[in-house]
Amino acid sequence: MVPDDIHDFFLGSAGVAGALIGLLFVAISVSAGRLAGDGAQVHRVRASAALTAFTNALAVSLFTLIPGHKIGVTAVAVGIGGITFVAASLLSLVRLRQVRWSTVRDALFLIGLAITFVIQVIQGADVIARPGDADAVNTIAILVVVCFLVGIARAWELMGGPSIGFAYEVAAMVRGHERDEAAEDPGEDEAPRPDLSG
């Protein structure tokens, strides 16, 4: 049973999920060229990951609003579907030999999404076994927020949005500093030329 104090959260999250799915469809249509060009499989996985995360949040939120004990069954069902999606995505990257350093971040996002779904399945099973467990329902609500965050990050990368992170900026500064030093001392390794003017 869903506690009354969290009912409004699921009402709001259902609206947010619906809006984000609509925006994702727009993003996919704008990025259609990236889904068919070089590295298309990585972009397809990003698009599918965003859609899976948003759909998970939408399904859990909508079924929670229906009177009765539906949040546990829904959390388990869509969680298992999400785990299946993550496994298929990782297999597709391996099959197409897309696993390289540039896709490690995508793999980490997928693993994080899988962990989210596993926790959701566990909490959903707990709600099925003990319908009055408000803590499990609160955990599922937090996982809905996590799905929103993962979906937004995947959609941003699908669109080719700029990636500004602390590690990226530090690495860029180090590379820039090394280039500046190399430009200032171009002839350090050269032997001095003898003076033949005399």
Side-chain angles (χ1 to χ4, degrees):
M1 179 172 285
V2 180
D4 291 336
D5 59 349
I6 203 166
H7 184 271
D8 289 342
F9 166 79
F10 285 113
L11 184 63
S13 69
V16 169
L20 287 173
I21 289 172
L23 290 173
L24 179 62
F25 288 157
V26 172
I28 289 172
S29 66
V30 169
S31 302
R34 298 181 84 190
L35 297 174
D38 292 337
Q41 187 62 21
V42 172
H43 295 300
R44 288 185 195 128
V45 167
R46 288 176 180 166
S48 297
L51 183 61
T52 301
F54 292 151
T55 302
N56 178 76
L58 180 66
V60 169
S61 299
L62 288 177
F63 277 99
T64 300
L65 297 174
I66 299 172
H69 305 290
K70 300 197 172 40
I71 186 171
V73 175
T74 304
V76 169
V78 295
I80 290 172
I83 293 167
T84 304
F85 158 76
V86 169
S89 296
L90 290 172
L91 286 175
S92 75
L93 292 176
V94 170
R95 179 180 58 84
L96 297 173
R97 302 178 203 273
Q98 295 285 330
V99 178
R100 54 184 180 266
W101 184 247
S102 62
T103 58
V104 167
R105 187 173 176 188
D106 291 300
L108 290 176
F109 261 105
L110 287 171
I111 291 168
L113 193 57
I115 292 169
T116 301
F117 290 138
V118 167
I119 295 170
Q120 180 176 299
V121 168
I122 293 168
Q123 296 301 310
D126 189 32
V127 172
I128 292 170
R130 297 182 296 158
D133 188 357
D135 289 339
V137 174
N138 287 334
T139 302
I140 292 171
I142 291 168
L143 295 174
V144 166
V145 174
V146 170
C147 284
F148 283 141
L149 297 175
V150 170
I152 290 168
R154 298 284 78 197
W156 183 254
E157 289 187 350
L158 172 67
M159 288 291 296
S163 176
I164 298 176
F166 183 75
Y168 174 81
E169 293 302 322
V170 169
M173 285 179 65
V174 169
R175 284 192 302 268
H177 183 68
E178 289 172 354
R179 279 194 299 264
D180 290 345
E181 287 180 350
E184 289 175 3
D185 301 324
E188 186 174 310
D189 295 335
E190 295 179 5
R193 295 182 179 179
D195 185 11
L196 302 175
S197 60

